[in-house]
Amino acid sequence: MNLNFKEKFRKNLNIQIFIFFSIVICAISTAFSIFSAFHQHKALVNGMHESGILLTKTLAYSCRIGVFSENPVLLKTPVEGAFQHEDVLEVTVFNLKGKEIFQKIHGTAKTTAHIASTGKTPPESFSQTEQPRHPPLIQIVEREKEMVFWSAVLSDSAYSVSTPLLGELGTPPSTSHNLLGYLRLTLDKSRMKRQLLFVLFNNLVIAVFFLAVGTLITFYLAQRITQPLQRLTVAAVKSGKDGIFHRLPVENQNEIGNLAKAFNSLAEVLDKQNLEKQQLEDKLWQSQKMEAIGTLAGGIAHDFNNIIGIITGFSEIAMLSTPAGSKLHGYLQEVFNAASRAKELVRQILTFSRKNKTECQPLQIGVVIKEALKMLRASLPSTIELRQSIQQDLLPVIADPIQIYQILINLCTNASHAMQAKGGVLDVRLEEVLVDETLAAAHPGLMPGNHQKLTVSDTGHGMTRSVLERIFDPFFTTKGPGEGTGMGLSVVHGIVKSHNGTIHVQSEPNKGTRFDIFFPSPAGVARVEHKPQVPVPTGAEKILLVDDEPSLVNLGYEILSSFGYQVTTRTNGIEALAIFEETPDRFDLVITDLTMPKITGLDLSGKILQIRPDIPIILCSGYSETKHHDIAKSLGIRKMITKPIIWQDLAPLIHSVLRATNE
């Protein structure tokens, strides 16, 4: 039964609303009752205090002559007058020494006995020896059933017409006085308690009434909300089972009716989407094939980067041994440049396969565009003329070079396709422009300021207005089957937006197409200055080099040895760990590959750092993810670099790591 209720509560919104608001109403009613009872009790107690204080003050004032003369006859009249107050149980008058002068008790023998137990002498705080000139005037003693008021009886000088009777509680009179005696007044709490019970009963009745009415209202509102929703749900479940989305009846014009209208609009959209479903599935299959290619590229990236590293490394060694300016040196430089471009190409593929975040940095995008056009020129048909105009010494922009490369390749590929039949001119321009208010108003989304403007235009067949409105939609393409996925321009649009740029298109049928892309040049970024080439730093420290690729190990040994370092190489992580364990103080630096059989570079680094926490380690990787960088940082690895390694770039890094360790 319990499980059945839990299941109903989980699935029934009506029960949830009813229980929730019932609990809220119950909590409000309880809080209101407690709050009201507390304040009523406080008011009754304060009222009894004020009444007792006033009565005690008046009686003390009236009894001062009788206390002074210690004459019970003079005390009888004022004391009996006090008993006109229905809560008075007892009045006792004492002389200065605490001797009882007069007492009157009203009530049963039980009450009298209880009063006797409250004490027959005044509190010590009324002692004349302790406070001869300013004794306290009134003290209150709380009992379970009674409230006892003790008062000092003072001479006439303490009671002027302008001063309240006996002053405030605990405050001495403003003039000198004589202490004549003491007075004790006892009030019965029974009537106050009856009043309090009556108040509590009234609050309880009000709370129960409020709870009952609130619960009924909650039940009614829950029904009003959930019943139309239930009918709408049943109709929605039935709709679409036969592949057709039927319109739902709109019962009213409130939120429920608006929900039915929204469902009807959604049904119309779904009907239209069903017509395009097969086309989308085909394009999705094509996209999945592209993703599979990226995954495959990521899998072989380690080995491919090792191959590129061997080419670039031995090219560097060969160029160092060849006179600068000779033909052979030029040939080797071309090999090195081609391998470097291959390195960037692999990095781009890995970026797609890993779906990494944009790695933006201050960048001269003109350099990237020139390199991309070099690779693109060979793939263009001879009927297409490639023109370029790249302005020199431009302000850098914050951009990712791989994504800038991707923008240019996508735009130029589309332009080439548009001129495939008749040929034409592909024009690529990069210039710095100052966007003013007029230019910004003519291009929606463009903000005033310095920008780099990349223009890619062609003399192809152009586009109609209807095509122009959809070119940035994913999977939209005018190409035939097998010629494209329709993702290129949507990717370009996304990259431009991620770089805080804007893109604008102009095209007319048979008049070509022009893309203008504006990249903002942020303030505070200086122009990139070409630093003069400095000598490669050298050293004499001892380095342990670990990599599972023998050719890379041999290459590293040759280059690092040429820089003056004493190099020990191993092609197996287990062997490297063993030699380090034997002589841990022998090495000043460890350079290790990330991906190796038997033991990874991260595991090897962790074990080495357990032996020598101060040893600097440089981790090399051909294909690493963000988590590898986080683990390396947590282990204490100093640097992590990406393969293929440009050894002349590695030398300054080694020098800086060793210098930081020595400092």
Side-chain angles (χ1 to χ4, degrees), residues 297 300-302 304-305 308 340-354 402 622 643-644:
I300 66 174
H302 176 264
F304 193 56
N305 273 325
I308 297 175
S340 299
R341 287 196 296 269
K343 170 188 173 181
E344 293 300 323
L345 183 59
V346 172
R347 179 172 172 264
Q348 181 184 12
I349 295 173
L350 293 181
T351 301
F352 297 152
S353 64
R354 290 196 302 260
I402 297 301
K643 288 184 175 182

Side-chain angles (χ1 to χ4, degrees), residues 618-650:
I618 298 177
L619 189 65
C620 308
S621 171
Y623 178 56
S624 62
E625 298 180 356
T626 303
K627 63 180 181 179
H628 294 147
H629 291 266
D630 297 337
I631 297 173
K633 186 177 180 180
S634 65
L635 289 175
I637 295 174
R638 301 295 176 86
K639 293 292 182 180
M640 187 169 181
I641 60 175
T642 304
K643 288 184 175 182
I645 301 171
I646 304 301
W647 294 93
Q648 290 192 10
D649 295 337
L650 179 62

Side-chain angles (χ1 to χ4, degrees), residues 463-474 476 505 507:
M463 293 178 283
T464 62
R465 180 175 295 274
S466 60
V467 172
L468 193 62
E469 292 174 352
R470 299 189 60 191
I471 58 172
F472 295 123
D473 294 346
F476 175 77
V505 190
S507 183

Side-chain angles (χ1 to χ4, degrees), residues 451-465:
H451 287 72
Q452 307 260 333
K453 179 183 175 184
L454 172 63
T455 302
V456 178
S457 60
D458 64 71
T459 58
H461 51 65
M463 293 178 283
T464 62
R465 180 175 295 274

Side-chain angles (χ1 to χ4, degrees), residues 326-501:
S326 64
K327 287 186 177 181
L328 182 56
H329 189 280
Y331 298 155
L332 292 172
Q333 184 66 52
E334 289 298 326
V335 173
F336 179 82
N337 293 340
S340 299
R341 287 196 296 269
K343 170 188 173 181
E344 293 300 323
L345 183 59
V346 172
R347 179 172 172 264
Q348 181 184 12
I349 295 173
L350 293 181
T351 301
F352 297 152
S353 64
R354 290 196 302 260
K355 300 179 177 63
N356 282 351
K357 294 182 179 179
T358 302
E359 299 178 0
C360 293
Q361 56 189 330
L363 177 69
Q364 286 279 8
I365 61 175
V367 177
V368 179
I369 292 173
K370 288 181 179 179
E371 289 296 323
L373 291 178
K374 286 181 182 178
M375 298 183 64
L376 185 65
R377 187 184 301 273
S379 63
L380 292 176
S382 58
T383 55
I384 297 178
E385 179 185 355
L386 177 60
R387 298 176 183 174
Q388 59 175 306
S389 176
I390 310 299
Q391 186 175 334
Q392 302 296 322
D393 297 328
L394 298 177
L395 284 172
V397 299
I398 305 301
D400 179 14
I402 297 301
Q403 294 194 343
I404 298 298
Y405 180 91
Q406 185 181 4
I407 288 174
L408 188 63
I409 292 300
N410 279 330
L411 292 180
C412 291
T413 301
N414 284 345
S416 173
H417 184 270
M419 298 182 290
Q420 188 175 8
K422 299 180 180 179
V425 177
L426 173 59
D427 192 7
V428 178
R429 296 178 177 271
L430 179 67
E431 57 185 335
E432 189 171 79
V433 296
L434 177 61
V435 177
D436 55 14
E437 297 291 342
T438 304
L439 183 59
H443 296 78
L446 189 60
M447 302 298 293
N450 288 323
H451 287 72
Q452 307 260 333
K453 179 183 175 184
L454 172 63
T455 302
V456 178
S457 60
D458 64 71
T459 58
H461 51 65
M463 293 178 283
T464 62
R465 180 175 295 274
S466 60
V467 172
L468 193 62
E469 292 174 352
R470 299 189 60 191
I471 58 172
F472 295 123
D473 294 346
F475 300 112
F476 175 77
T477 180
T478 58
K479 300 176 183 178
E483 295 182 348
T485 63
M487 290 295 293
L489 288 179
S490 63
V491 170
V492 169
H493 184 267
I495 294 174
V496 172
K497 290 300 181 183
S498 69
H499 285 71
N500 298 318

Side-chain angles (χ1 to χ4, degrees), residues 100-400:
E100 181 180 304
I101 302 175
F102 184 85
Q103 183 182 47
K104 181 177 178 59
I105 301 174
H106 174 75
T108 63
K110 180 179 179 181
T111 305
T112 304
H114 184 74
I115 291 172
S117 68
T118 62
K120 295 184 178 181
T121 59
E124 292 182 359
S125 59
F126 282 102
S127 172
Q128 187 178 12
T129 59
E130 294 181 2
Q131 301 181 6
R133 299 189 60 81
H134 298 292
L137 299 182
I138 294 178
Q139 286 193 0
I140 302 174
V141 180
E142 289 280 354
R143 301 292 181 186
E144 181 181 358
K145 297 182 179 180
E146 296 91 12
M147 191 177 295
V148 181
F149 296 83
W150 285 92
S151 174
V153 180
L154 308 177
S155 62
D156 289 346
S157 61
Y159 314 109
S160 64
V161 177
S162 61
T163 304
L165 291 179
L166 296 180
E168 297 297 330
L169 180 61
T171 305
S174 59
T175 61
S176 300
H177 61 272
N178 293 319
L179 180 63
L180 303 177
Y182 309 98
L183 183 144
R184 183 180 68 197
L185 174 69
T186 304
L187 297 182
D188 188 8
K189 287 185 177 180
S190 301
R191 187 172 64 89
M192 183 189 72
K193 291 184 176 180
R194 288 194 301 271
Q195 291 177 345
L196 181 59
L197 290 175
F198 180 75
V199 168
L200 291 175
F201 177 77
N202 286 341
N203 287 340
L204 182 61
V205 172
I206 293 174
V208 171
F209 175 77
F210 181 71
L211 180 61
V213 173
T215 302
L216 292 176
I217 294 175
T218 299
F219 180 78
Y220 173 75
L221 291 177
Q223 291 290 326
R224 289 279 296 175
I225 293 173
T226 58
Q227 283 183 353
L229 285 175
Q230 187 175 7
R231 291 194 295 269
L232 183 62
T233 302
V234 172
V237 170
K238 292 181 179 179
S239 181
K241 284 187 175 181
D242 54 357
I244 301 175
F245 293 89
H246 303 281
R247 293 180 62 85
L248 300 179
V250 180
E251 299 180 357
N252 44 52
Q253 300 300 320
N254 56 16
E255 285 78 3
I256 305 298
N258 293 334
L259 183 60
K261 293 178 181 178
F263 180 85
N264 291 335
S265 300
L266 178 62
E268 293 178 1
V269 173
L270 292 175
D271 283 334
K272 293 179 181 178
Q273 288 182 347
N274 280 339
L275 300 177
E276 303 174 0
K277 182 178 179 181
Q278 187 60 45
Q279 182 181 3
L280 289 174
E281 288 179 351
D282 295 340
K283 293 180 178 180
L284 179 61
W285 171 245
Q286 181 67 23
S287 176
Q288 289 174 343
K289 289 194 294 184
M290 293 174 62
E291 185 175 355
I293 294 173
T295 304
L296 177 62
I300 66 174
H302 176 264
D303 293 333
F304 193 56
N305 273 325
N306 284 344
I307 297 172
I308 297 175
I310 294 171
I311 297 173
T312 56
F314 281 106
S315 297
E316 286 183 279
I317 294 178
M319 283 190 292
L320 291 175
S321 304
T322 305
S326 64
K327 287 186 177 181
L328 182 56
H329 189 280
Y331 298 155
L332 292 172
Q333 184 66 52
E334 289 298 326
V335 173
F336 179 82
N337 293 340
S340 299
R341 287 196 296 269
K343 170 188 173 181
E344 293 300 323
L345 183 59
V346 172
R347 179 172 172 264
Q348 181 184 12
I349 295 173
L350 293 181
T351 301
F352 297 152
S353 64
R354 290 196 302 260
K355 300 179 177 63
N356 282 351
K357 294 182 179 179
T358 302
E359 299 178 0
C360 293
Q361 56 189 330
L363 177 69
Q364 286 279 8
I365 61 175
V367 177
V368 179
I369 292 173
K370 288 181 179 179
E371 289 296 323
L373 291 178
K374 286 181 182 178
M375 298 183 64
L376 185 65
R377 187 184 301 273
S379 63
L380 292 176
S382 58
T383 55
I384 297 178
E385 179 185 355
L386 177 60
R387 298 176 183 174
Q388 59 175 306
S389 176
I390 310 299
Q391 186 175 334
Q392 302 296 322
D393 297 328
L394 298 177
L395 284 172
V397 299
I398 305 301
D400 179 14

